Amino acid sequence: MSRRERLRAQTSAEIKAIALKLMGDGGPDAISLRAIAREMGMTAGAIYSYFPTRDDLITALVGDVYTAAVEAAESARDAVPDSDTGGRVLAWAQAMREWALANPEGFRLIYGDPVPGYRPPGDGPGREAELRACSGLIGLVAEAWPTARTLQPEGRDYDWAGFDAGLAAHVREDFPGLPPAAVALTLRVWGRMHGLVALEIYGHLSGLIHDPGAVYRDEMHDLIASLGLNA
Amino acid sequence: MSRRERLRAQTSAEIKAIALKLMGDGGPDAISLRAIAREMGMTAGAIYSYFPTRDDLITALVGDVYTAAVEAAESARDAVPDSDTGGRVLAWAQAMREWALANPEGFRLIYGDPVPGYRPPGDGPGREAELRACSGLIGLVAEAWPTARTLQPEGRDYDWAGFDAGLAAHVREDFPGLPPAAVALTLRVWGRMHGLVALEIYGHLSGLIHDPGAVYRDEMHDLIASLGLNA
DNA sequence: TGATTTACTACACGCCGTTCAAAGTCAGCA
DNA sequence: TGCTGACTTTGAACGGCGTGTAGTAAATCA
């Protein structure tokens, strides 16, 4: 790596770091190229040497932030012994909520409109982190599948063709024998973990109940029970 | 109502109508005072006679849009006979999802950051619609409470003090005898209905599964079953 | 050394929300 | 009828935004 490349990587990292700091201070809207440049003693135009457009910077940030969130969830899960699947699910869920509460701007960046009009790209580090999160959840559901399968609706039969081809290939490689219905169940689990947190982060619970965490805890315990586990 | 007041109300309504149209065309970010004024053949400054700031206009819009969504859910629910509580819950859930898919910008306006930095006020028509939605859901949970209560976690005891005073008073008047735990359960139901729809609207499911509706349907059937009902 | 690639500045463009003085409009009263 | 006072609208301005483009200086390479 030449001196040039090193400097370039360093500046690029500094841009992202400052963007995250600005986001932490003043929300996702505070991420303006001009503000970043101001903080770095540069001009706004200079950033275009590193990120062709503002959305590309956002995309890079989403990747970093999402990766951090997934790593928090993974390490919380791994702190619970393999035998306690219910505890691992709960740890994942609680870690996700706590991360969201600690980084509400990050949550908005990933799960909301970071900037109105911004559309996440179909690939890149953000997509990778999303697949990693999905994979982590599928792993948990796979652990629970033997007990959970009796709860599946019998009428519907899922088919691998109904899923994204890349995801399907991934799952079939990592979890051989796991049926597509388990992936569908994973999405439901994801939705269930996501719903209350999204409502809370966007302020829809604060005016109704004083301790949303208790409700979330109950919901997660019910989820775990519905998977045939106990926490 | 004097001629002046009539004109004023008319112009105010036109501003909101155009804002909704712009939102439908180009997302929430397309709601700019200048664009609205342009469309109306006015100047941007003139709008300040009607809405003191852009956020106040947004707040008014949120109220309108939220009310429309709630009315859609209510009428879907009321199209199912009282005796079929499970069907009423399902109708509400499906109506909410379908409304969100038909009005993604509206969904973002209510449940996301319409504009980065915008914070919904503690009262006003938006809050009213939110309470109305909450009330509708509480009604459904109240219908299901006799069968659902066995599913409540026994360790935790909710207290009216844990809830917003206004909400608590409202519930105790409309649903006498309903315990606070039922309200907590309602929030969980809300979160469960919200989660998958939020993920879908913000594009997190489209890259994973082709028919998110099927997953949502399964999830709602499971929710209804967990309430001790059948759909 | 000279040629080329790269990083950056400076400036321009058109968008935005917001403010404000001045001009226009109109109901109600003398 | 004419006048007054309240309301509405204009038009210009301010500062901020993302985005391009032209030019400059430095680092790199042959």
Side-chain angles (χ1 to χ4, degrees):
Chain A
M1 185 143 109
S2 75
R3 169 183 157 77
R4 233 201 169 86
E5 284 168 323
R6 205 158 7 97
L7 278 179
R8 185 180 173 80
Q10 193 175 316
T11 309
S12 182
E14 190 184 354
I15 290 173
K16 288 199 287 182
I18 291 184
L20 283 174
K21 177 173 142 331
L22 290 173
M23 186 182 75
D25 290 354
D29 59 325
I31 306 176
S32 77
L33 299 187
R34 294 182 123 93
I36 295 170
R38 218 180 295 128
E39 201 94 356
M40 293 178 68
M42 290 200 321
T43 354
I47 301 184
Y48 284 84
S49 305
Y50 298 90
F51 299 95
T53 179
R54 181 157 172 268
D55 280 10
D56 291 272
L57 171 57
I58 300 282
T59 300
L61 284 181
V62 168
D64 285 12
V65 171
Y66 210 152
T67 302
V70 171
E71 275 167 5
E74 284 175 352
S75 76
R77 174 201 59 190
D78 293 340
V80 176
D82 283 16
S83 56
D84 181 11
T85 300
R88 283 159 68 81
V89 173
L90 185 63
W92 180 285
Q94 295 284 15
M96 271 298 187
R97 172 166 179 271
E98 272 151 31
W99 178 87
L101 289 177
N103 307 277
E105 284 78 20
F107 183 87
R108 286 167 147 85
L109 197 62
I110 297 172
Y111 290 113
D113 264 356
V115 174
Y118 171 80
R119 293 284 65 214
D123 56 351
R127 170 72 176 170
E128 196 177 313
E130 180 149 327
L131 282 178
R132 194 169 149 194
C134 199
S135 199
L137 272 182
I138 291 175
L140 289 171
V141 170
E143 294 178 34
W145 187 245
T147 56
R149 71 182 324 161
T150 56
L151 299 174
Q152 296 318 298
E154 294 138 38
R156 181 175 318 284
D157 41 336
Y158 287 95
D159 192 299
W160 287 117
F163 295 88
D164 172 71
L167 174 71
H170 225 271
V171 173
R172 280 199 275 190
E173 189 182 330
D174 291 356
F175 307 97
L178 197 69
V183 180
L185 176 59
T186 302
L187 295 180
R188 285 172 47 194
V189 169
W190 187 19
R192 220 165 151 181
M193 289 180 175
H194 179 76
L196 279 173
V197 175
L199 288 175
E200 183 174 3
I201 293 292
Y202 281 105
H204 294 282
L205 298 185
S206 61
L208 301 175
I209 192 167
H210 299 143
D211 183 11
V215 177
Y216 187 71
R217 217 173 310 128
D218 281 354
E219 176 68 0
M220 288 305 105
H221 278 109
D222 187 45
L223 164 64
I224 289 163
S226 84
L227 289 174
L229 306 168
N230 45 11
Chain B
M1 183 143 108
S2 74
R3 170 183 155 77
R4 232 198 168 84
E5 285 168 322
R6 206 158 6 97
L7 278 179
R8 186 181 171 79
Q10 194 175 316
T11 309
S12 182
E14 191 184 352
I15 290 173
K16 288 198 288 181
I18 291 184
L20 283 174
K21 178 174 141 331
L22 289 173
M23 186 183 75
D25 291 355
D29 58 326
I31 307 176
S32 78
L33 299 187
R34 295 185 121 94
I36 295 169
R38 218 180 294 128
E39 202 93 357
M40 293 179 68
M42 289 201 324
T43 340
I47 300 186
Y48 284 82
S49 305
Y50 299 90
F51 299 94
T53 179
R54 180 158 172 268
D55 281 10
D56 291 273
L57 170 56
I58 300 281
T59 300
L61 284 181
V62 168
D64 285 12
V65 170
Y66 210 152
T67 302
V70 171
E71 275 166 6
E74 283 175 352
S75 77
R77 174 201 61 190
D78 293 340
V80 177
D82 283 16
S83 56
D84 182 10
T85 301
R88 284 158 67 81
V89 173
L90 186 62
W92 180 286
Q94 296 283 15
M96 271 297 187
R97 173 167 178 270
E98 272 151 31
W99 178 87
L101 289 177
N103 307 277
E105 285 78 20
F107 183 87
R108 287 168 147 84
L109 198 61
I110 296 172
Y111 290 113
D113 265 354
V115 173
Y118 171 80
R119 291 285 67 214
D123 56 352
R127 170 73 176 170
E128 197 177 312
E130 180 148 324
L131 282 177
R132 192 168 151 194
C134 200
S135 200
L137 272 182
I138 291 175
L140 290 171
V141 170
E143 293 178 36
W145 187 245
T147 56
R149 70 182 324 160
T150 57
L151 299 174
Q152 295 318 299
E154 295 137 38
R156 182 174 319 284
D157 41 336
Y158 287 95
D159 192 300
W160 286 118
F163 294 88
D164 173 70
L167 174 70
H170 225 270
V171 173
R172 280 199 275 189
E173 187 181 332
D174 291 357
F175 306 97
L178 198 68
V183 180
L185 176 59
T186 302
L187 295 179
R188 285 172 46 194
V189 170
W190 187 19
R192 218 165 152 182
M193 289 180 174
H194 178 77
L196 279 173
V197 175
L199 288 175
E200 183 174 3
I201 293 292
Y202 282 104
H204 295 281
L205 298 185
S206 61
L208 300 175
I209 192 168
H210 300 142
D211 182 12
V215 176
Y216 188 71
R217 218 173 310 127
D218 281 355
E219 176 68 0
M220 288 306 105
H221 277 109
D222 187 44
L223 164 64
I224 289 163
S226 84
L227 290 174
L229 307 169
N230 45 10

